[in-house]
Structures are given as structure tokens and as C-alpha cells.
């Protein structure tokens, strides 16, 4: 049976800091990657790691000093472990350490115009996120070392405390502050990530915005959130799409709406006016006698539907436009029309064009 103090090259009175420094030095010297030509390097490294796990844990070190290595994990203490587990099951405790933890989700936002939302487009999204440290591979340990069993909780990930109350003894279990519930302790932290296993990074990602997207829709990109911990999978990226308001069109789902001015003469006699659409202006036939406020629906001229089932409609509100200023000839023609229709109009006052006509007569 090896003497763990001799394995680490320290005295039985060594302090916790001396134990830690000795392990760091030996772990670098004896790691198999640094001793590829030594077939016994792996066993030596395991022995050093085992010695540190025992001597860095105050309870295990006390038992080791009293009974020896064969009594640490089994034998005389097996019954106490079983009772502890049973007691924990009644009071919510757990001897299981935390496993892999999923990374957090990330929220980003992109803005697109209505035309871009109709056609579909790719947008670049800049992300500030946490990625797995490439230096240590996410372990948090410096090269040549590995995490060891936590010296505070003994690898359970929890700290237990038994308190006496009027109802008897009550045990409480809290997450170990040293290891964060992982059950493992980073002895020699990675210089790149500081022992966290993740580093902050700014990345650019192309996100496809599908045709027909509506304002406020969230797009999910699986696995592009923050990296997980202890081998956990990465979180997801959620991209909120903001569709900018359009100066002409109003949107209601897949349908679009707009107003079109119709000259009074065309509304009365019939004709054509140009109607704006997402694909350009289109002529619209206006029947004779069209009234202001009438609605025309153009099928398939709205937004594409996200499910790919065609497009919505364009709803056109016709606004008959009354001319604001008339020259003398136009006013005379309207007066004649009013007389023919037996409509009584207000007397026309002398205007600008009348004065011009008089000046040159």
C-alpha cells in the first residue's frame, strides 16, 4: 500500500496549500502526454491523483491517517454511507452530483423591410456568447492536469448539515460552493478560461429569414446559444424579426391594404388608375360611377404565406379625388355640367385666372 505523503513528496504535517502545490508539480511531470516513452507514466499519474484526492479532503485525510487506504471508501464506513443515503431520501438530499448542464439560450434581433419580408432574405447576426475553451477542451484545467474530486463535498456536489430542533434532528443539503455542484474541483486552472471551461466570443452568423415572416416572429437556431458546462449541449439562438412599417401598405396577416386616389372624372366616366403592388404598379379598371370609399380586392397580390400556400390579397380603398384648383375653362365646363344636371352651385367669385383673362382682353 503506497504512502500518499511519500507519493506527493510531502510531510504528514503538510498544509492544504502545500498539498495542492505538490500535486500541480507532479501532475505536469508525470502526465502521460508528457511521457509517451514511459509505459508506466499512466499508473504513476493515477497514483498521484489518487493521493491528492485523499489528502485534499479533510475527512478522508483524517480517516487515512487513522486507518489506512483500504478503509476510506468501504468497510467500516459502508453502513454509515447507506444510512446517510436513506436519511437524505426522506429530507430531499441527494448524493448525486450535477451532470452536464445545458448552455443558456441567446436572444438576438434583426430588422427587415416589408419587401424583404415578402421575398425572404439572409441577415447577418452578431452574437456575443460563451463558447467552449479550445485550450482545455471545456475541462477548465491547465494542460496536463484534470479536475479531481472536490475536497469540500467529496464529489457529491452537496454540503450537508444536521441541525437539532424541537422536532428532532433535521438534515439540510446545499450545493457545494467550491465545485458548484459538479463534484469536481479544478486544481490548476486553465490560463485561457480561468478554470471556467468557457470563454466569451463574438461571432457572426447568417440567419435565413423566410418569405412571409410577420413582425415579432422568433426564429430558432438550434445549438447556437451558449456552450454547455461539463459536456452539456449548447443552448439555442432565438432571433426576433422586426418588419419595418411601409409608407404605402398596411398589413393584416398575409393581406395588404392601401389607398388609391381616383380622379373625379375617371370615377364618373370610368377608366384606369395605377395601383401599387409588391411587384410594381398594375392598372386597375375603375367602373363609371365609382364612389369614394369603395373597396377592390386584388387576389394573390399580398404577402406570401409562411406555409407556402400562395399569397394573400391586396385590398384597395378607392378615394375619389376632387380637384382643389380649377382654371377658368375647367370651372366653366363644370358649371355647364351642373346646369345640365339641374344642380345649384354657389356663384363663382372672381379668381386669379379671371383677372389674368381681363388683363389681356
Amino acid at each position: 500500500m503506497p504512502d500518499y505523503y511519500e507519493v506527493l513528496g510531502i510531510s504528514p504535517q503538510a498544509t492544504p496549500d502545500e498539498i495542492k502545490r505538490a500535486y500541480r508539480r507532479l501532475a505536469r511531470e508525470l502526465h502521460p502526454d508528457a511521457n509517451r516513452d514511459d509505459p508506466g507514466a499512466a499508473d504513476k499519474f493515477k497514483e498521484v491523483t489518487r493521493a491528492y484526492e485523499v489528502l485534499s479532503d479533510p475527512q478522508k485525510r483524517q480517516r487515512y491517517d487513522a486507518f489506512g487506504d483500504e478503509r476510506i471508501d468501504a468497510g467500516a464506513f459502508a453502513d454509515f454511507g447507506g444510512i446517510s443515503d436513506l436519511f437524505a431520501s426522506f429530507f430531499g438530499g441527494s448524493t448525486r452530483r450535477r451532470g452536464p448542464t445545458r448552455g443558456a439560450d441567446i436572444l438576438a434581433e434583426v430588422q427587415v423591410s416589408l419587401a424583404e419580408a415578402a421575398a425572404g432574405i439572409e441577415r447577418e447576426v452578431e452574437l456575443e456568447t460563451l463558447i467552449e475553451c479550445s485550450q482545455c477542451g471545456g475541462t477548465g484545467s491547465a494542460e496536463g492536469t484534470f479536475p479531481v474530486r472536490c475536497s469540500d463535498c467529496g464529489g457529491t456536489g452537496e454540503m450537508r448539515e444536521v441541525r437539532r430542533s424541537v422536532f428532532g434532528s433535521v438534515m439540510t443539503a446545499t450545493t457545494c460552493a467550491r465545485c458548484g455542484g459538479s463534484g469536481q474541483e479544478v486544481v490548476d486552472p486553465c490560463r485561457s478560461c480561468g478554470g471556467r471551461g468557457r470563454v466569451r466570443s463574438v461571432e457572426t452568423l447568417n440567419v435565413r429569414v423566410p418569405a412571409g415572416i410577420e413582425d415579432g416572429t422568433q426564429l430558432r437556431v438550434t445549438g447556437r446559444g451558449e456552450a454547455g458546462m461539463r459536456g452539456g449541449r449548447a443552448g439555442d439562438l432565438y432571433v426576433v424579426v422586426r418588419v419595418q412599417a411601409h409608407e404605402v401598405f398596411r398589413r393584416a396577416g398575409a393581406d395588404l391594404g392601401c389607398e388609391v386616389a381616383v380622379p373625379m372624372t375617371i370615377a364618373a366616366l370610368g377608366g384606369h388608375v395605377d395601383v401599387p403592388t409588391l411587384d410594381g404598379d398594375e392598372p386597375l379598371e375603375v367602373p363609371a360611377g365609382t364612389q369614394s370609399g369603395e373597396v377592390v380586392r386584388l387576389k394573390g397580390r399580398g404577402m406570401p404565406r409562411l406555409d407556402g400556400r400562395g399569397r394573400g390579397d391586396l385590398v384597395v380603398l378607392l378615394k375619389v379625388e376632387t380637384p382643389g384648383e380649377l382654371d377658368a375653362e375647367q370651372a366653366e365646363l363644370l358649371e355647364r355640367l351642373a346646369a345640365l344636371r339641374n344642380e345649384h352651385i354657389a356663384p363663382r367669385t372672381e379668381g386669379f385666372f379671371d383677372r389674368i383673362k381681363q388683363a389681356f382682353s
Side-chain angles (χ1 to χ4, degrees):
M1 178 182 63
D3 184 327
Y4 286 156
Y5 291 105
E6 291 184 0
V7 170
L8 294 180
I10 57 178
S11 71
Q13 290 77 38
T15 64
D17 286 341
E18 291 173 339
I19 294 173
K20 184 178 293 187
R21 286 197 296 270
Y23 170 71
R24 288 179 176 176
R25 176 178 55 80
L26 292 172
R28 292 192 186 95
E29 294 178 0
L30 301 176
H31 194 276
D33 290 343
N35 298 273
R36 299 182 184 277
D37 297 332
D38 185 359
D43 291 336
K44 295 177 183 177
F45 181 77
K46 290 179 181 179
E47 190 176 57
V48 167
T49 302
R50 175 61 176 168
Y52 176 75
E53 289 180 352
V54 173
L55 299 183
S56 62
D57 185 321
Q59 294 179 350
K60 288 185 178 181
R61 183 179 180 181
Q62 185 179 11
R63 294 198 296 265
Y64 173 76
D65 291 342
F67 302 104
D69 184 53
E70 74 279 0
R71 303 288 295 276
I72 292 176
D73 295 318
F77 296 95
D79 291 338
F80 289 100
I83 294 173
S84 175
D85 289 345
L86 179 63
F87 192 69
S89 67
F90 281 102
F91 292 95
S94 172
T95 59
R96 295 183 179 180
R97 67 186 184 187
R98 290 184 182 177
T101 302
R102 179 182 180 275
D105 295 331
I106 298 177
L107 186 66
E109 184 177 298
V110 296
Q111 290 193 353
V112 297
S113 67
L114 185 66
E116 291 170 336
I121 193 174
E122 276 197 357
R123 270 284 188 268
E124 281 191 351
V125 180
E126 189 175 89
L127 308 174
E128 184 176 352
T129 183
L130 292 172
I131 63 173
E132 183 181 274
C133 176
S134 59
Q135 192 72 24
C136 65
T139 65
S141 296
E143 185 177 2
T145 66
F146 295 93
V148 299
R149 188 177 300 176
C150 178
S151 58
D152 280 4
C153 66
T156 64
E158 294 180 339
M159 299 297 291
R160 297 178 181 180
E161 182 180 3
V162 178
R163 296 180 179 178
R164 294 185 178 276
S165 69
V166 294
F167 301 104
S169 297
V170 178
M171 186 186 72
T172 59
T174 57
T175 301
C176 176
R178 179 180 291 274
C179 67
S182 68
Q184 292 184 323
E185 177 184 353
V186 175
V187 180
D188 193 2
C190 170
R191 293 184 179 180
S192 179
C193 66
R196 293 179 292 272
R198 302 183 299 178
V199 294
R200 192 159 295 280
S201 174
V202 177
E203 299 181 336
T204 301
L205 177 68
N206 287 327
V207 176
R208 180 66 185 173
V209 179
I213 194 97
E214 292 196 44
D215 180 61
T217 301
Q218 287 190 358
L219 303 176
R220 178 184 176 188
V221 185
T222 305
R224 293 312 300 260
E226 292 185 354
M229 298 183 65
R230 298 183 293 275
R233 70 182 183 89
D236 299 331
L237 166 65
Y238 288 89
V239 181
V240 180
V241 181
R242 296 299 180 190
V243 182
Q244 298 171 335
H246 197 273
E247 60 182 3
V248 174
F249 299 113
R250 298 294 179 268
R251 182 177 181 180
D255 293 337
L256 294 176
C258 69
E259 293 184 1
V260 173
V262 180
M264 178 186 65
T265 51
I266 292 179
L269 302 175
H272 294 84
V273 293
D274 287 334
V275 175
T277 73
L278 290 173
D279 305 309
D281 290 346
E282 291 188 14
L284 173 68
E285 184 177 350
V286 179
T290 294
Q291 302 299 308
S292 186
E294 291 188 12
V295 173
V296 179
R297 183 178 289 270
L298 301 182
K299 296 289 186 181
R301 294 296 188 271
M303 294 288 291
R305 293 187 173 88
L306 274 175
D307 59 9
R309 297 181 180 179
R311 296 170 60 171
D313 300 334
L314 175 61
V315 181
V316 182
L317 177 64
L318 301 179
K319 303 285 285 187
V320 177
E321 190 176 59
T322 302
E325 292 187 4
L326 299 172
D327 60 25
E329 184 178 1
Q330 292 171 342
E332 184 179 347
L333 288 173
L334 286 178
E335 287 176 350
R336 291 175 56 190
L337 175 62
L340 290 172
R341 292 175 57 84
N342 198 27
E343 295 173 348
H344 301 285
I345 61 175
R348 181 159 56 99
T349 59
E350 186 180 81
F352 173 76
F353 291 105
D354 293 321
R355 293 194 297 271
I356 293 295
K357 186 177 180 180
Q358 291 174 6
F360 287 93
S361 60

